[in-house]
Amino acid sequence: MEYVNPEGLRLDGRRPMEMRQLRAEIGVVSKADGSAVFEMGNTKVIAAVYGPREGQNRSQQSNDQALVNYLLQSQPACLNFVLSKRPSFWVMSLHGCQVRCEYSMANFSTGDRMRKPKGDRRSTEISLVIRQTMEACILTHLMPRSQIDIFVQVLQADGGTRSACINAATLALADAGIPMCDLVTSCSAGYLNGTPLLDLNYVEDSAGGPDVTVGILPKLDKVTLLQMDSKLQLDTFENVMQLAIEGCKAVASYIREILLENTKQLESRRGVK
Amino acid sequence: MVLLGQMWHSSLSYVEATYSFWSLCGVSPGARRRASDLRCRQRPNIRASPLHPADLQSHSVALAGYPTPISVMVGLSLGEQNFIKGGIAQDLRTDGRKRLAYRPIFVETGVIPQASGSARVKLGATDVIASVKAELGKPNPSHPNKGKVSIYVDCSPTAEPTFEGRGGDELSTELSSALQRCLLGGKSGAGAGIDLSSLSIVEGKVCWDLYIDGLVVSSDGNVLDALGAAIKAALSNTVIPKVQVAANASSDEQPEVDVSDEEFLQFDTSAVPVIITLTKVGKHYIVDATTEEESQMSSAVSVSINRQGRICGLTKRGGAGLDPSIILDMISVAKHVSEQLINKLDSEIAAAEACDEETEMDS
């Protein structure tokens, strides 16, 4: 099947280096501390952030506290061992806040109706990926003994849900006022019919070609997430990854615009200007 | 001094005392919410005890135990609780509404392009999405001339952190079964708000299966009413493709059906009922309760009423017992409120569809 026709247009009329249309909105779920909707073409995702708030697992708390106090006084050298061997929630959160994430897809998000919206392996894997990516950029040491929950709900899935979720989570964290070292933006790219393509949709994704998802910290110029499936030549891979990074930077400038606009609105509402 | 006396009297812990002090100094709402989270961990305030599932009965007047994690989430102080109850008694609620006034309703249709019909309803801060998908299927052997409808509600963890993982399952099943009771009638399919025989294509062989999916994105009380309104709006937005049946099929084979892309049938939703929940706080009933008001309720009755003013389903929730005359009174109040709600909802749906058509013509 031809994914790039001879004139150089893809199935939905985009150029190979063109991203889908981006749309974002902040403050959608009023009950959450921070929330955002992010749309990349037909992929629509809602992210809500609750936190920082008190940690949830309190059953082991008193035991751990006693143990840690004892070790601090008598044998501080053992403390490292304890922390590495028994990483219970409370002990881990001593140093910084715990970040938890859950990714769920709505029943109606895909073309065929999904039976089980949560708990399947793909959702668990994506939850883990988002958690690790966001944890890298949140300044967790500023909020010890607390917990941040990031919930991502996919309303419409048309390829690139992972990237849309990370972008939505960044906006939601910014809306919640949680200190981060930089924004995290993500974009995917692929290689079909001999051309690197930016921002694959569902049809192009299921074509069997490679799919490279990249997440970067734009200002610091560092890559935090890199995933690829299928196979690719090494020099082609460099091109595709570079293309994805350009896409991430474009998303970052859009996110910055949205955040600036939101701040101006907040300012005018509070009567600052 | 009086304030301090009150604090000691209700024996608040140190955390709560600190919170009350800082709230006088005007702490931001975010910190206040987190502080109230801290408070409710210290002293859970269980108001309505949930009934055992064995009490659930299958006929239409059911006593359903509604699990109330709500009062544990919202940590209200004694002063706030008295304020809510007193306001309701004086017909002036916390947000200025009268007892029988709804919050502003916003309806948006066609939000899920790949579904046959969809709608999003915002009732204040409560935000729900309903989608309808029509698929070809085989009818139930006991009802060969009727289609099938199944309703499933999912509570997203974006609404409440406690809905993470399997936490929202209890509430989801309660909402799904309440909606099925209200909209789908009895086991034989009789008395359903949706005309099931219109979904049949070939008797005994092929019919339409409607899958109605609800998603609770944000919950601030009165989720059942919002879901009922969203399902009604989604059904009025639903288009089912016309089907041509191959004429030369023998009686044993599965007939060939040709689903047309061009012609569509609009669904008839004039008989679909709306759901009105009346919450009893103290001696009075309120309509469209927020989460804080629901935490103060003694019991609630959800009535589903259609345009002709007939009752299509009834559910009573909450542990406190109600005098039968009060239930009849609540039903008549619900009927009175339903006329305004149905008119408002229909005008909102029509406006949303008109808006939808305009954007379609523009693009």
Side-chain angles (χ1 to χ4, degrees):
Chain A
M1 190 177 161
E2 227 182 48
Y3 294 100
V4 184
N5 68 14
E7 289 146 41
L9 292 177
R10 289 150 80 169
L11 290 169
D12 48 5
R14 284 186 286 154
R15 303 257 157 65
M17 310 259 179
E18 202 181 316
M19 274 192 77
R20 291 178 287 184
Q21 194 177 40
L22 300 174
R23 232 208 91 214
E25 208 184 312
I26 299 186
V28 191
V29 180
S30 38
K31 268 194 108 174
D33 291 325
S35 60
V37 170
F38 199 86
E39 282 181 64
M40 288 172 94
N42 281 335
T43 301
K44 190 167 174 186
V45 159
I46 289 188
V49 167
Y50 287 88
R53 51 197 197 121
E54 195 183 338
Q56 297 300 307
N57 294 10
R58 304 176 86 236
S59 52
Q60 283 191 304
Q61 190 168 335
S62 48
N63 296 338
D64 289 342
Q65 182 157 19
L67 176 66
V68 170
N69 284 342
Y70 167 73
L71 286 174
L72 271 174
Q73 287 161 12
S74 56
Q75 294 149 24
C78 271
L79 196 56
N80 255 341
F81 176 78
V82 170
L83 287 176
S84 62
K85 287 292 172 197
R86 286 192 53 203
S88 70
F89 173 84
W90 189 84
V91 170
M92 278 171 77
S93 72
L94 270 182
H95 298 285
C97 82
Q98 290 294 294
V99 178
R100 291 197 326 188
C101 176
E102 180 169 301
Y103 166 93
S104 51
M105 296 184 74
N107 263 341
F108 42 78
S109 56
T110 51
D112 302 316
R113 188 172 169 269
M114 279 182 66
R115 300 288 148 166
K116 207 170 163 232
K118 302 180 197 176
D120 59 325
R121 296 221 332 230
R122 183 173 170 268
S123 303
T124 323
E125 192 242 327
I126 299 185
S127 309
L128 187 70
V129 162
I130 300 178
R131 183 174 73 78
Q132 286 174 343
T133 319
M134 305 323 290
E135 205 167 9
C137 76
I138 297 178
L139 302 174
T140 52
H141 61 271
L142 292 179
M143 298 163 288
R145 296 183 191 85
S146 53
Q147 175 186 311
I148 296 180
D149 288 320
I150 307 175
F151 298 118
V152 185
Q153 176 80 40
V154 176
L155 296 178
Q156 279 171 243
D158 187 30
T161 45
R162 213 170 293 222
S163 309
C165 289
I166 292 177
N167 296 329
T170 304
L171 273 173
L173 285 168
D175 186 35
I178 291 176
M180 299 194 282
C181 62
D182 196 358
L183 302 173
V184 187
T185 56
S186 162
C187 192
S188 65
Y191 188 75
L192 288 170
N193 289 145
T195 343
L197 301 174
L198 182 60
D199 198 11
L200 306 171
N201 59 21
Y202 182 71
V203 183
E204 291 165 346
D205 204 358
S206 40
D211 174 20
V212 179
T213 308
V214 176
I216 63 165
L217 302 171
K219 271 264 162 68
L220 299 176
D221 218 1
K222 292 200 175 183
V223 174
T224 53
L225 168 70
L226 183 58
Q227 284 187 325
M228 187 183 107
D229 51 17
S230 185
K231 51 186 183 195
L232 206 52
Q233 291 259 353
L234 205 54
D235 33 0
T236 332
F237 171 74
E238 280 187 43
N239 285 346
V240 173
M241 191 175 102
Q242 208 47 49
L243 184 60
I245 292 181
E246 294 299 319
C248 293
K249 296 212 172 114
V251 175
S253 59
Y254 177 72
I255 286 185
R256 214 167 274 126
E257 253 176 56
I258 293 283
L259 285 173
L260 261 175
E261 210 183 288
N262 190 44
T263 314
K264 286 196 185 129
Q265 272 185 12
L266 286 174
E267 272 182 332
S268 67
R269 268 187 231 156
R270 289 189 60 184
V272 169
K273 275 218 171 125
Chain B
M1 283 300 118
V2 176
L3 197 57
L4 280 173
Q6 270 186 340
M7 286 201 286
W8 284 117
H9 170 69
S10 38
S11 61
L12 293 169
S13 71
Y14 170 73
V15 173
E16 291 169 336
T18 323
Y19 156 74
S20 306
F21 171 70
W22 284 112
S23 72
L24 292 174
C25 307
V27 182
S28 69
R32 180 189 188 284
R33 207 179 4 240
R34 281 166 230 149
S36 66
D37 270 338
L38 279 173
R39 218 158 16 113
C40 70
R41 302 278 177 269
Q42 306 280 347
R43 185 184 63 171
N45 188 13
I46 318 267
R47 282 274 141 179
S49 51
L51 290 178
H52 196 271
D55 294 338
L56 281 170
Q57 296 166 40
S58 57
H59 43 82
S60 54
V61 181
L63 292 165
Y66 207 76
T68 43
I70 304 163
S71 42
V72 183
M73 293 171 215
V74 181
L76 291 176
S77 70
L78 213 55
E80 284 171 305
Q81 291 168 18
N82 288 337
F83 188 75
I84 292 176
K85 288 186 200 159
I88 290 172
Q90 293 178 37
D91 202 14
L92 183 67
R93 289 152 76 171
T94 327
D95 47 5
R97 286 184 285 157
K98 298 245 166 225
R99 283 197 284 261
L100 299 180
Y102 266 87
R103 286 173 282 188
I105 306 179
F106 291 112
V107 177
E108 221 183 298
T109 52
V111 287
I112 311 284
Q114 67 258 33
S116 312
S118 59
R120 181 178 189 160
V121 167
K122 285 191 221 191
L123 202 60
T126 301
D127 194 354
V128 300
I129 299 180
S131 96
V132 177
K133 262 216 168 104
E135 282 172 17
L136 289 173
K138 209 157 185 285
N140 209 335
S142 44
H143 305 296
N145 59 343
K146 291 201 165 127
K148 293 190 298 217
V149 178
S150 81
I151 303 184
Y152 173 73
V153 174
D154 184 27
C155 293
S156 166
T158 53
E160 234 15 275
T162 48
F163 291 164
E164 186 187 356
R166 316 220 58 158
D169 279 357
E170 240 182 298
L171 185 60
S172 306
T173 27
E174 280 298 326
L175 289 169
S176 310
S177 51
L179 285 167
Q180 275 171 343
R181 203 178 301 126
C182 292
L183 295 172
L184 294 182
K187 289 214 168 76
S188 64
I194 306 164
D195 186 16
L196 292 176
S197 33
S198 65
L199 295 175
S200 164
I201 303 172
V202 177
E203 190 171 319
K205 303 250 177 69
V206 186
C207 70
W208 283 114
D209 276 342
L210 277 190
Y211 293 103
I212 304 183
D213 292 311
L215 179 72
V216 179
V217 171
S218 163
S219 93
D220 189 26
N222 211 20
V223 176
L224 192 57
D225 289 17
L227 278 168
I231 290 180
K232 190 175 163 84
L235 284 171
S236 54
N237 182 240
T238 306
V239 280
I240 301 190
K242 274 222 175 98
V243 169
Q244 260 118 23
V245 187
N248 52 356
S250 72
S251 56
D252 292 336
E253 282 173 9
Q254 196 70 2
E256 282 179 27
V257 282
D258 176 35
V259 181
S260 107
D261 287 330
E262 304 291 317
E263 295 167 357
F264 294 101
L265 280 169
Q266 196 79 24
F267 219 73
D268 178 29
T269 53
S270 52
V272 176
V274 291
I275 304 180
I276 304 209
T277 305
L278 278 170
T279 314
K280 187 165 189 291
V281 178
K283 279 195 249 177
H284 305 270
Y285 332 122
I286 52 172
V287 138
D288 193 14
T290 61
T291 327
E292 293 167 346
E293 292 168 342
E294 268 181 6
S295 68
Q296 298 312 304
M297 77 171 187
S298 54
S299 46
V301 171
S302 298
V303 186
S304 93
I305 302 183
N306 68 5
R307 184 178 285 276
Q308 281 83 32
R310 299 210 168 167
I311 302 177
C312 305
L314 198 81
T315 309
K316 178 204 168 286
R317 308 188 319 247
L322 281 181
D323 204 64
S325 57
I326 296 189
I327 295 192
L328 291 172
D329 192 34
M330 284 169 105
I331 294 176
S332 62
V333 168
K335 267 178 78 165
H336 170 70
V337 172
S338 71
E339 292 156 13
Q340 298 159 11
L341 178 65
I342 290 184
N343 290 336
K344 180 97 208 302
L345 199 56
D346 282 338
S347 63
E348 285 291 323
I349 293 176
E353 303 243 284
C355 205
D356 207 21
E357 275 171 30
E358 268 177 37
T359 47
E360 261 187 49
M361 290 197 308
D362 286 339
S363 63

